[in-house]
Amino acid sequence: MKPVKVGLLGLGTVGTGVVRIVEGNQEDLSSQVGSPIIIERIAVKNLEKPRDIEVDASKITTDPWEVIRDPEIDVIVEVMGGIEGTKEYILEALERGKHIVTANKDLMALHGSEILAKAQEKQCDVFYEASVAGGIPIIRTLIEGFSSDKIMKIMGIVNGTTNYILTKMSQEGATYSDALKEAQELGYAESDPTSDVEGLDAARKMAILGTLGFRTNVELRDVSVSGISGVSKEDIAFAKRLGYEMKLLGIAERQDEEFSISVQPTMIRASHPIASVNGVFNAVYVYGEAVGETMFYGAGAGAMPTATSIVADLVAVIKNLKLGVNGLKHIVPYKQKKLKSDEEIFFKNFLLLYVDDKAGVLAKITQVFAEYDVSLDSVVQQANKNNPNAEIIIVTHDASKASMNKVLRHFEELKVIHRIKSHYRVEG
C-alpha cells in the first residue's frame, strides 16, 4: 500500500481545512482509495504567519516550484488563488504528469480550456468541484449525474455574499449599504466587495456551469452581468407585494443549440424553491430535458464545506490513479458556440416608473409598449406622499430583450417620465 503523496499550494482557511480532513479522516479515506494519503509538501507565502494547525515545519516552503518539481508528489492541490502565476504552476505540474485539484474559479473561468487541453494531452486529471458553490457537488453532478440528459436550464444563487445582503434587506428591511457593512463585519464580504456585489464572481461560476451543462466553450465575455448595488429596499418591498423575492441569479438557458447566460438581480416567484434560499447559502436549479426539475442546496463557501469538495476530488483522482484511467473524465467542449441574439432572449420584466401625476400619462406609456410589441401582465399606479411624482409599477409578459431595450430608450426621451427607477427580470 504505497502512499499517495500530495503537494498543497496554499495554507489559508481552505488549505487548513484540507489538512484537517485528510489527517483527521485518514482511516476512512485510505479505505476508499486503498492506500494512505500523505500531504508531502506545502507552499505558503509567509512562514511566520500564525496558523491554527500544527504542520511539520520540514514540509513547508515559500517556493511553489519546490512542490511542483518534487518527483515524489502525485497530485497538486491548489488553494492559493490568483490567475497568471497560478496558471504557470498548474501547466508545469501537468507537463510533469501530476494531477490537479483546484478551487480556483477565476482561473478555470478564464483559462480552463487551455488547462484541460494540457491535461488531456498528458492524460492527467484536473478536478475543480470546489470552484463553484463550495460544498455542493454540482460540477460532478453535471458531468456524471446528467451525462445521459440534455440540460436546458441552469439557474443558481452562486454567491453567498450577495444572497446574505439581499436576505437582510428582505427579512429585516435593511438598506443595501447597512446590509453590506454587516456582511463585511462578519467576514462574508471583502473590504472591496466589487467582485461579489457587481456580479463578477457569480459570472465566472456561471461560465463554468454553462460550459459543462451545454458542452460548449462559454467564456466570461459571453455572460451578461449586472450586480445588486442599485437594489433598494423599496424595490424589494414592491417585489414582496407582488409575490416575489429578489435574488442575484445566474441564469443559463438554451433552446435548440443556441444559449444565453446572464447574472442579474431577479424577482423570482416566492413559491419557487430557490426563492427560499437565504443567508450565505447557495442553490443551483437544473432543468434537464428528461429528468425535469432538480435543485441542489448547501453551503456555498467556508473552510470546511469547500475543503470537503476538494478532498472528494482528491479521492476521485486517486481512484482513477489506481485504475489507470486518469484524464478520461474531462468535459471537452465539442459543440459550436451559438449565442442567442437579444431578439431571441425572452423574459418577463418589472418596471417602476416615476411619472407626471396627470391624466393621459398611462395611455402614452402603454402606447410605447404596444409600438415595440411588448404585452403587459399588470399595471399599478399609486401615489406616494414622499414622492411628488406618481409611481407606476408594470410587469410585462415575456418580451425580447431587444424590444425591452427599445422601450427603455424611448422612455428616456418621454417627457412625462421623470425617472426609470427600477428594471428587473422576473422569473416564475
Side-chain angles (χ1 to χ4, degrees), residues 26 115 154 162 215 247 267 270-271 285 296 308 393 405:
Q26 187 64 221
I115 289 168
I154 303 170
T162 51
R215 308 303 199 250
K247 299 292 182 183
M267 291 168 54
S271 58
Y285 163 98
F296 306 85
T308 298
I393 302 165
N405 286 340

Side-chain angles (χ1 to χ4, degrees), residues 122-414:
K122 296 297 180 180
Q123 293 186 300
C124 291
D125 284 336
V126 174
F127 290 164
Y128 48 102
E129 182 67 66
S131 66
V132 178
I136 304 174
I138 186 61
I139 289 179
R140 188 170 291 107
T141 300
L142 288 174
I143 293 174
E144 298 178 5
F146 290 110
S147 60
S148 63
D149 206 350
K150 184 175 183 179
I151 304 303
M152 304 306 295
K153 183 173 184 176
I154 303 170
M155 183 167 67
I157 297 172
V158 292
N159 181 275
T161 300
T162 51
N163 203 43
Y164 178 85
I165 291 169
L166 293 175
T167 299
K168 296 290 288 188
M169 295 174 72
S170 176
Q171 295 184 351
E172 300 178 17
T175 64
Y176 167 78
S177 57
D178 287 344
L180 171 58
K181 182 179 178 182
E182 183 172 328
Q184 289 172 319
E185 290 171 349
L186 293 171
Y188 298 146
E190 302 289 341
S191 55
D192 178 1
T194 303
S195 180
D196 290 324
V197 301
E198 297 304 334
L200 304 177
D201 174 82
R204 293 179 180 115
K205 295 170 182 176
M206 290 306 299
I208 292 170
L209 295 181
T211 296
L212 296 175
F214 300 156
R215 308 303 199 250
T216 190
N217 184 28
V218 179
E219 299 174 88
L220 190 57
R221 64 185 177 183
D222 299 327
V223 185
S224 173
V225 186
S226 60
I228 67 166
S229 57
V231 177
S232 68
K233 64 179 184 179
E234 290 79 17
D235 293 333
I236 290 178
F238 280 125
K240 293 173 80 70
R241 187 185 308 172
L242 296 171
Y244 296 93
E245 290 288 341
M246 186 77 77
K247 299 292 182 183
L248 182 72
L249 293 183
I251 302 173
E253 297 176 291
R254 74 169 162 181
Q255 186 175 16
D256 299 323
E257 295 305 319
E258 294 184 327
F259 71 92
S260 63
I261 302 187
S262 66
V263 170
Q264 58 192 301
T266 303
M267 291 168 54
I268 185 163
R269 183 68 67 181
S271 58
H272 194 290
I274 213 167
S276 62
V277 177
N278 293 315
V280 295
F281 283 88
N282 283 194
V284 181
Y285 163 98
V286 181
Y287 184 87
E289 194 172 57
V291 74
E293 297 179 274
T294 60
M295 196 174 89
F296 306 85
Y297 166 86
M304 299 314 287
T306 304
T308 298
S309 288
I310 289 169
V311 178
D313 276 350
L314 179 59
V315 167
V317 168
I318 297 172
K319 285 182 177 180
N320 288 346
L321 191 62
K322 296 299 178 71
L323 293 171
V325 294
N326 296 109
L328 300 181
K329 284 192 175 183
H330 299 307
I331 292 292
V332 178
Y334 62 91
K335 292 192 174 182
Q336 181 182 355
K337 186 194 306 186
K338 296 180 181 178
L339 288 168
K340 286 185 178 182
S341 67
D342 285 353
E343 288 78 13
E344 298 170 308
I345 299 171
F346 284 79
F347 51 83
K348 296 173 70 173
N349 297 262
F350 167 92
L351 286 169
L352 172 58
L353 307 176
Y354 291 167
V355 305
D356 283 344
D357 190 5
K358 62 184 181 183
V361 170
L362 188 56
K364 290 182 178 180
I365 290 171
T366 55
Q367 185 179 355
V368 174
F369 281 110
E371 182 178 342
Y372 298 108
D373 203 25
V374 176
S375 63
L376 305 183
D377 181 45
S378 65
V379 180
V380 178
Q381 184 170 343
Q382 64 180 21
N384 184 338
K385 64 182 180 180
N386 297 318
N387 187 349
N389 307 126
E391 296 179 346
I392 295 182
I393 302 165
I394 298 169
V395 178
T396 74
H397 288 120
D398 280 347
S400 75
K401 186 176 179 181
S403 292
M404 277 306 302
N405 286 340
K406 291 175 183 176
V407 168
L408 294 171
R409 284 195 295 269
H410 197 138
F411 282 173
E412 293 285 356
E413 299 171 357
L414 205 60

Side-chain angles (χ1 to χ4, degrees), residues 102-123:
T102 179
N104 196 325
K105 62 182 177 298
D106 300 336
L107 181 67
M108 295 308 296
L110 294 172
H111 301 294
S113 57
E114 180 182 355
I115 289 168
L116 293 174
K118 174 61 72 173
Q120 189 173 38
E121 175 192 336
K122 296 297 180 180
Q123 293 186 300

